[in-house]
Amino acid sequence: MILKVARLGHPVLRRIPKPVPPALIARPEFQRFVDDLVETMHEYDGVGIAAPQVHVPLQVAAIEAGANPRYPKAPRIPLTIVVNPRLRPAATRRIEDWEGCLSLPDLRGRVPRWAAVVVEGLDRRGRPLRLTSRGFFARVLQHEWDHLQGRVYVDRMRGLASLTHLAEYARFWAKE
Ligand code: NI
Protein backbone atom coordinates (compact mmCIF):
# COMPACT_ATOMS: atom_id res chain seq x y z
CA MET A 1 0.00 0.00 0.00
CA ILE A 2 1.30 3.44 -0.91
CA LEU A 3 1.37 5.71 2.14
CA LYS A 4 0.90 9.47 2.32
CA VAL A 5 4.15 11.40 2.69
CA ALA A 6 4.35 14.17 5.31
CA ARG A 7 5.80 17.43 4.04
CA LEU A 8 8.02 19.94 5.82
CA GLY A 9 5.99 21.73 8.48
CA HIS A 10 4.12 18.63 9.64
CA PRO A 11 5.09 18.20 13.32
CA VAL A 12 5.67 14.43 12.87
CA LEU A 13 8.91 15.25 11.02
CA ARG A 14 10.23 17.12 14.06
CA ARG A 15 9.37 14.66 16.82
CA ILE A 16 11.87 11.99 17.79
CA PRO A 17 10.25 8.66 16.90
CA LYS A 18 10.16 5.75 19.35
CA PRO A 19 12.42 2.72 19.04
CA VAL A 20 10.61 -0.27 17.55
CA PRO A 21 9.84 -2.67 20.43
CA PRO A 22 11.66 -5.98 19.68
CA ALA A 23 8.42 -7.94 20.20
CA LEU A 24 6.74 -5.92 17.43
CA ILE A 25 9.31 -6.76 14.74
CA ALA A 26 8.10 -10.32 14.02
CA ARG A 27 4.46 -9.32 13.91
CA PRO A 28 2.70 -9.31 10.52
CA GLU A 29 1.50 -5.70 10.95
CA PHE A 30 5.10 -4.48 11.33
CA GLN A 31 6.29 -6.55 8.35
CA ARG A 32 3.40 -5.18 6.30
CA PHE A 33 4.36 -1.65 7.34
CA VAL A 34 7.95 -2.22 6.17
CA ASP A 35 6.60 -3.46 2.81
CA ASP A 36 4.41 -0.35 2.57
CA LEU A 37 7.38 1.89 3.41
CA VAL A 38 9.40 0.30 0.57
CA GLU A 39 6.45 0.54 -1.83
CA THR A 40 6.02 4.23 -0.98
CA MET A 41 9.75 4.88 -1.54
CA HIS A 42 9.50 3.20 -4.96
CA GLU A 43 6.30 5.06 -5.90
CA TYR A 44 7.94 8.46 -5.32
CA ASP A 45 11.37 7.47 -6.70
CA GLY A 46 13.13 8.03 -3.39
CA VAL A 47 16.49 6.50 -2.51
CA GLY A 48 15.47 6.42 1.14
CA ILE A 49 12.46 6.96 3.37
CA ALA A 50 12.00 7.03 7.13
CA ALA A 51 8.83 6.02 9.02
CA PRO A 52 8.11 9.55 10.36
CA GLN A 53 7.83 10.66 6.71
CA VAL A 54 4.70 8.49 6.43
CA HIS A 55 3.32 9.69 9.80
CA VAL A 56 4.55 6.66 11.76
CA PRO A 57 6.69 7.67 14.77
CA LEU A 58 8.96 4.60 14.81
CA GLN A 59 12.73 4.29 14.27
CA VAL A 60 12.77 2.45 10.97
CA ALA A 61 14.00 3.50 7.54
CA ALA A 62 14.39 1.96 4.08
CA ILE A 63 17.16 2.71 1.57
CA GLU A 64 17.61 1.53 -2.00
CA ALA A 65 19.16 3.01 -5.12
CA GLY A 66 19.00 1.45 -8.54
CA ALA A 67 17.81 2.87 -11.82
CA ASN A 68 16.15 5.92 -10.27
CA PRO A 69 14.87 8.79 -12.42
CA ARG A 70 15.30 11.30 -9.54
CA TYR A 71 18.94 10.23 -9.03
CA PRO A 72 20.08 8.90 -12.42
CA LYS A 73 23.80 8.99 -11.56
CA ALA A 74 23.49 7.48 -8.09
CA PRO A 75 25.60 4.42 -7.33
CA ARG A 76 23.54 1.28 -6.71
CA ILE A 77 22.52 0.48 -3.14
CA PRO A 78 20.74 -2.81 -2.42
CA LEU A 79 17.48 -2.64 -0.48
CA THR A 80 18.42 -2.03 3.14
CA ILE A 81 16.06 -1.77 6.11
CA VAL A 82 17.42 -0.31 9.35
CA VAL A 83 15.54 -0.62 12.63
CA ASN A 84 16.57 1.36 15.75
CA PRO A 85 19.85 2.47 14.18
CA ARG A 86 22.75 4.18 15.88
CA LEU A 87 25.17 6.03 13.65
CA ARG A 88 28.70 7.23 14.16
CA PRO A 89 31.22 8.84 11.82
CA ALA A 90 34.01 6.63 10.47
CA ALA A 91 35.90 9.46 8.80
CA THR A 92 37.41 12.77 9.85
CA ARG A 93 36.31 14.49 6.67
CA ARG A 94 32.92 15.68 5.50
CA ILE A 95 31.96 15.95 1.83
CA GLU A 96 29.42 18.44 0.51
CA ASP A 97 27.01 17.22 -2.17
CA TRP A 98 23.42 17.59 -3.35
CA GLU A 99 20.45 16.07 -1.53
CA GLY A 100 16.72 16.03 -1.91
CA CYS A 101 13.93 14.69 0.26
CA LEU A 102 10.41 13.38 -0.41
CA SER A 103 9.19 15.66 2.39
CA LEU A 104 10.62 18.76 0.63
CA PRO A 105 9.38 18.07 -2.89
CA ASP A 106 11.16 19.53 -5.91
CA LEU A 107 14.07 20.99 -3.97
CA ARG A 108 17.77 20.21 -3.76
CA GLY A 109 20.48 21.61 -1.55
CA ARG A 110 24.14 21.02 -0.78
CA VAL A 111 24.74 19.20 2.49
CA PRO A 112 28.04 18.33 4.19
CA ARG A 113 28.10 14.70 5.37
CA TRP A 114 30.71 12.41 6.88
CA ALA A 115 32.61 10.58 4.15
CA ALA A 116 32.07 7.25 5.95
CA VAL A 117 29.82 6.06 8.75
CA VAL A 118 29.10 2.95 10.80
CA VAL A 119 25.46 2.12 11.50
CA GLU A 120 24.45 -0.48 14.03
CA GLY A 121 20.93 -1.61 14.71
CA LEU A 122 18.57 -4.35 13.61
CA ASP A 123 17.41 -5.57 10.23
CA ARG A 124 13.72 -6.06 9.35
CA ARG A 125 13.74 -9.51 11.00
CA GLY A 126 15.24 -8.19 14.23
CA ARG A 127 18.69 -9.60 13.57
CA PRO A 128 21.72 -7.47 14.50
CA LEU A 129 22.86 -5.28 11.63
CA ARG A 130 26.19 -3.52 11.21
CA LEU A 131 26.88 -1.45 8.11
CA THR A 132 30.12 0.30 7.24
CA SER A 133 29.53 2.60 4.33
CA ARG A 134 31.11 5.43 2.44
CA GLY A 135 30.20 7.90 -0.25
CA PHE A 136 26.61 8.01 -1.45
CA PHE A 137 25.42 5.13 0.76
CA ALA A 138 26.92 6.87 3.82
CA ARG A 139 25.18 10.09 2.75
CA VAL A 140 21.76 8.43 2.45
CA LEU A 141 22.23 6.68 5.81
CA GLN A 142 23.01 10.02 7.47
CA HIS A 143 19.99 11.63 5.78
CA GLU A 144 17.60 8.87 6.98
CA TRP A 145 19.17 8.73 10.43
CA ASP A 146 18.53 12.47 10.71
CA HIS A 147 14.82 11.82 10.03
CA LEU A 148 14.89 9.44 13.01
CA GLN A 149 16.24 12.32 15.13
CA GLY A 150 13.59 14.83 14.05
CA ARG A 151 15.91 16.55 11.58
CA VAL A 152 15.77 17.26 7.84
CA TYR A 153 18.61 17.99 5.44
CA VAL A 154 18.11 21.76 5.36
CA ASP A 155 19.10 21.78 9.07
CA ARG A 156 22.52 20.47 8.01
CA MET A 157 23.22 22.88 5.15
CA ARG A 158 26.05 25.38 5.69
CA GLY A 159 23.68 28.04 4.42
CA LEU A 160 20.58 28.26 2.27
CA ALA A 161 22.30 29.81 -0.76
CA SER A 162 22.44 26.48 -2.61
CA LEU A 163 18.75 25.62 -2.03
CA THR A 164 17.50 25.04 -5.55
CA HIS A 165 14.28 24.08 -7.30
CA LEU A 166 14.57 20.80 -9.19
CA ALA A 167 14.10 22.35 -12.65
CA GLU A 168 16.89 24.89 -11.95
CA TYR A 169 19.03 22.11 -10.47
CA ALA A 170 18.67 20.18 -13.74
CA ARG A 171 19.35 23.33 -15.76
CA PHE A 172 22.35 24.75 -13.92
CA TRP A 173 23.86 22.24 -11.46
CA ALA A 174 23.22 18.62 -12.44
CA LYS A 175 26.25 18.49 -14.75
CA GLU A 176 28.70 19.19 -11.91
NI1 NI B 1 14.33 12.78 3.50
Side-chain angles (χ1 to χ4, degrees):
M1 188 171 69
I2 295 159
L3 305 171
K4 187 180 177 192
V5 176
R7 293 192 300 184
L8 188 66
H10 195 298
V12 73
L13 294 174
R14 294 305 193 175
R15 290 187 203 118
I16 297 181
K18 292 187 287 286
V20 180
L24 180 64
I25 295 178
R27 295 185 64 89
E29 60 264 37
F30 180 77
Q31 292 300 318
R32 209 153 38 230
F33 170 68
V34 172
D35 290 340
D36 291 347
L37 194 62
V38 171
E39 193 180 345
T40 305
M41 172 175 72
H42 290 162
E43 172 69 13
Y44 295 105
D45 297 319
V47 291
I49 192 168
Q53 290 185 275
V54 293
H55 309 83
V56 173
L58 286 175
Q59 292 181 13
V60 52
I63 294 170
E64 185 180 27
N68 188 314
R70 278 178 75 238
Y71 295 90
K73 288 186 220 150
R76 225 188 100 63
I77 302 172
L79 179 62
T80 305
I81 308 294
V82 291
V83 175
N84 302 344
R86 297 177 304 282
L87 178 145
R88 60 187 159 80
T92 51
R93 196 166 65 97
R94 290 190 297 172
I95 298 169
E96 197 176 80
D97 206 349
W98 294 95
E99 287 184 27
C101 180
L102 298 179
S103 294
L104 287 77
D106 300 325
L107 290 172
R108 291 286 164 89
R110 290 184 68 82
V111 186
R113 298 289 190 185
W114 296 111
V117 294
V118 175
V119 167
E120 288 177 290
L122 301 174
D123 71 9
R124 71 174 291 170
R125 304 288 167 199
R127 295 173 297 218
L129 175 81
R130 190 174 190 278
L131 292 167
T132 304
S133 64
R134 46 184 56 254
F136 184 65
F137 192 11
R139 173 169 297 277
V140 180
L141 281 165
Q142 289 168 85
H143 179 115
E144 300 313 325
W145 185 74
D146 269 354
H147 278 301
L148 302 182
Q149 307 289 309
R151 283 191 293 260
V152 293
Y153 78 82
V154 288
D155 304 343
R156 298 286 198 186
M157 291 172 67
R158 290 198 171 105
L160 294 177
S162 71
L163 196 64
T164 302
H165 278 282
L166 204 51
E168 282 67 24
Y169 169 80
R171 189 173 163 204
F172 296 109
W173 305 105
K175 291 173 205 83
E176 277 193 344

